[in-house]
Amino acid sequence: MSLVDSYVNPYTSLTVAKFGGTSVADFTAMSRSAAIILHAPQTRLVLISACSGVTNILVELANGVTDTQQRHALLTRLTDIHQSVLSQLKQPQQADEAITLLLKNVAELAKKAAIEKSVALTDQLVSHGELLSTHLFAQILRELGIKAIRFDIRDVMRTDGQFGKAIPQPSIIRQLSEQHLLPQLKKHVVVSQGFIGSDEQGNTTTLGRGGSDYSAALMAEAIGASTLEIWTDVPGMYTTDPRIATKAKPIKEISFSEASEMANFGAKILHPSTLVPAIRQQIPVFIGSSKAPEQGGTWIRETVSDAPLFRALALRCNQTMVTLTSLNMFHAYGFLAEVFRILAEHKISVDLITTSEVSVSLTLDQTDTSGGAPTLPAQALAELSELCRVEVEQDLCLVALIGNQMSSTKGSAKTVFSTLEYYNLRMICYGASPHNLCFLVKAQDAKSAIKDLHCAIFE
Ligand code: ASP
Ligand code: MG
């Protein structure tokens, strides 16, 4: 029996809790989050993000700020954010030295990046957000009387060496966690970093923006946790973004399949990969607001008591649509294979696909850490252009209706298309998944399309 099994069974069930940037934004937010941990003794592993806004500043520095004054202004903002928390601690000296050292590292790395930036340097630099916040948060927990220690997740979060979007290696993470982390969890509440990891050579890597959720799920898997909690600034998932449709309703319970579709199709509440480890290990996931834990939140699990035809609407903007047209496609074979060979060679991930007899349209996956519309690399465009006519369109948003048995329920498409009869819908994808119907609309129409649909379906 491995240490994981013997630990989880039979005395206690372990919870991994993740707190996002807004939940650790400042002293007040950190204290609220700490109170949640205080009242949940089963929470032994806590992963946190950088304080809100910090990663953005670090990314800016990593992109190379050559103007010394501007660089110093950014560094001062970083110092202020962390100093403000430090100054409110009862025993700031417990974290002071570490914070000062890390901020000094940031200044040095930012200077380096201004001379020559690199993806490895970027990861090294941006990892400091989480390295800093964990020192402060662990101390806040200790000041509440919790036996907490700070742990460097890079000792266990093994990834490959793709800086900026490193791929985690679950079986090694599990082995390393059994060795280094589980013994600590028996004695302490462990506070550690989301988002960051390290490759085989010990270089710091990151899992991509918003990756802390994914880190938490990977760690829940690695230590055999029975629950994963994601604490953020909204009380769970809603039928759509309440900022777009004010009558959006909270979702109390949702299945893994539906929630995966939502995370993939733009509900920003979860990093899209988060549910992969949770599904692998059947770990229920709770999403709640650290500002209002009493409001409850959303439970995501394998089986749910209610599986409505329509569950929610998600919106993802900044879509890039590529249309490839070739007369050779007519009754021919191998054209799509060739297209996808080129895309694969350039490591371009495709999202939606629709086809006609002579053309295929696809959207590019959002992998750009800046959140902008993905672009087709010049070399890939050149190779595709040799094969067929290539058109690239942007300023498009993806609207996804998530639900259950939609492809086998008569009339479910009718509601959508009759409500949106005056919109120009592109790339309609329906039927491949029972959980999803989606299409593109012009960016300027996206919000009103969501509002109209929400009104017709959910209000
Ligand atoms: N701090 C990182 C970011 O802002 C990771 C995270 O918060 O999930 O992207
Ligand atoms: Mg997040």
Side-chain angles (χ1 to χ4, degrees):
M1 188 153 64
S2 77
L3 197 48
V4 170
D5 303 322
S6 63
Y7 184 74
V8 172
N9 179 31
Y11 305 109
T12 172
S13 54
L14 223 67
T15 296
V16 173
K18 177 258 172 178
F19 292 86
T22 49
S23 300
V24 294
D26 50 27
F27 184 80
T28 314
M30 283 195 185
S31 302
R32 263 193 312 250
S33 298
I36 292 174
I37 299 167
L38 186 64
H39 294 116
Q42 72 283 9
T43 301
R44 306 293 293 178
L45 178 59
V46 180
L47 257 61
I48 68 170
S49 293
C51 304
S52 181
V54 165
T55 309
N56 289 347
I57 300 178
L58 292 168
V59 167
E60 204 176 331
L61 289 168
N63 286 338
V65 179
T66 43
D67 182 306
T68 336
Q69 245 182 354
Q70 199 189 335
R71 200 165 70 232
H72 283 146
L74 291 170
L75 291 168
T76 307
R77 271 168 62 197
L78 283 181
T79 306
D80 290 348
I81 292 170
H82 299 96
Q83 279 297 336
S84 141
V85 182
L86 255 189
S87 68
Q88 295 174 78
L89 291 172
K90 289 192 195 105
Q91 295 178 297
Q93 70 280 11
Q94 297 292 334
D96 191 18
E97 207 177 307
I99 297 288
T100 309
L101 188 66
L102 287 168
L103 288 169
K104 204 172 135 229
N105 283 350
V106 170
E108 275 163 22
L109 295 168
K111 200 168 163 187
K112 260 197 195 168
I115 298 164
E116 188 179 2
K117 61 174 188 173
S118 78
V119 280
L121 180 59
T122 297
D123 273 4
Q124 217 190 333
L125 188 45
V126 299
S127 72
H128 280 71
E130 274 73 8
L131 294 175
L132 284 157
S133 63
T134 39
H135 273 294
L136 297 169
F137 195 66
Q139 181 56 24
I140 287 187
L141 290 183
R142 286 192 287 267
E143 294 187 1
L144 279 178
I146 299 171
K147 268 176 74 185
I149 54 159
R150 175 184 180 273
F151 179 86
D152 194 323
I153 206 73
R154 291 172 298 182
D155 292 342
V156 298
M157 183 58 74
R158 176 65 61 76
T159 69
D160 71 0
Q162 279 187 67
F163 298 108
K165 47 175 184 249
I167 313 265
Q169 298 171 332
S171 59
I172 306 183
I173 296 169
R174 183 179 169 121
Q175 275 169 24
L176 293 170
S177 297
E178 290 194 13
Q179 261 176 305
H180 303 296
L181 180 58
L182 284 181
Q184 298 292 347
L185 290 176
K186 290 190 168 183
K187 296 178 281 184
H188 305 102
V189 169
V190 174
V191 175
S192 196
Q193 303 81 20
F195 181 54
I196 71 174
S198 80
D199 70 7
E200 210 182 338
Q201 285 75 43
N203 301 307
T204 299
T205 54
T206 62
L207 308 186
R209 291 304 303 270
S212 293
D213 299 338
Y214 187 27
S215 301
L218 287 160
M219 291 315 302
E221 173 178 46
I223 66 168
S226 57
T227 310
L228 168 62
E229 294 175 354
I230 305 277
W231 294 97
T232 173
D233 53 0
V234 287
M237 292 181 158
Y238 278 71
T239 47
T240 198
D241 186 339
R243 286 166 302 185
I244 301 177
T246 47
K247 291 194 179 146
K249 299 184 195 77
I251 298 171
K252 288 290 153 207
E253 205 189 32
I254 185 170
S255 67
F256 279 134
S257 334
E258 295 167 276
S260 305
E261 298 280 348
M262 282 187 68
N264 278 313
F265 286 101
K268 281 184 205 68
I269 191 159
L270 270 188
H271 183 278
S273 307
T274 310
L275 293 175
V276 177
I279 293 170
R280 257 188 322 243
Q281 297 303 320
Q282 300 284 305
I283 305 168
V285 180
F286 172 81
I287 308 178
S289 163
S290 65
K291 282 191 188 132
E294 73 287 349
Q295 279 186 27
T298 303
W299 277 100
I300 310 173
R301 29 174 152 247
E302 177 66 21
T303 37
V304 291
S305 47
D306 178 32
L309 178 62
F310 299 132
R311 177 75 82 180
L313 281 163
L315 175 65
R316 190 169 67 189
C317 286
N318 285 322
Q319 298 298 292
T320 301
M321 169 168 130
V322 180
T323 303
L324 306 160
T325 310
S326 166
L327 287 178
N328 295 339
M329 197 168 157
F330 195 64
H331 286 168
Y333 50 84
F335 171 71
L336 285 182
E338 187 56 13
V339 166
F340 282 96
R341 186 196 61 74
I342 296 171
L343 294 171
E345 207 157 78
H346 294 278
K347 295 206 162 88
I348 297 165
S349 163
V350 164
D351 202 22
L352 303 186
I353 305 173
T354 55
T355 57
S356 81
E357 190 55 51
V358 292
S359 61
V360 50
S361 289
L362 42 92
T363 59
L364 303 181
D365 228 355
Q366 183 61 271
T367 48
D368 187 345
T369 46
S370 72
T375 48
L376 198 57
Q379 186 58 32
L381 178 62
E383 286 173 36
L384 288 169
S385 301
E386 270 173 38
L387 194 68
C388 56
R389 193 172 80 221
V390 184
E391 282 164 277
V392 179
E393 289 172 67
Q394 291 188 329
D395 288 325
L396 293 163
C397 292
L398 172 74
V399 173
L401 175 60
I402 317 294
N404 293 283
Q405 293 172 345
M406 282 162 41
S407 50
S408 56
T409 305
K410 283 181 200 147
S412 47
K414 181 175 173 245
T415 321
V416 176
F417 298 128
S418 58
T419 307
L420 299 181
E421 63 180 319
Y422 297 112
Y423 291 84
N424 181 12
L425 309 185
R426 318 272 307 270
M427 278 199 81
I428 298 162
C429 295
Y430 178 50
S433 157
H435 298 295
N436 174 6
L437 182 169
C438 62
F439 50 84
L440 299 178
V441 288
K442 287 203 194 88
Q444 77 244 34
D445 293 339
K447 285 189 180 162
S448 63
I450 292 272
K451 267 190 215 159
D452 291 354
L453 266 183
H454 193 273
C455 184
I457 296 174
F458 296 108
E459 291 171 24

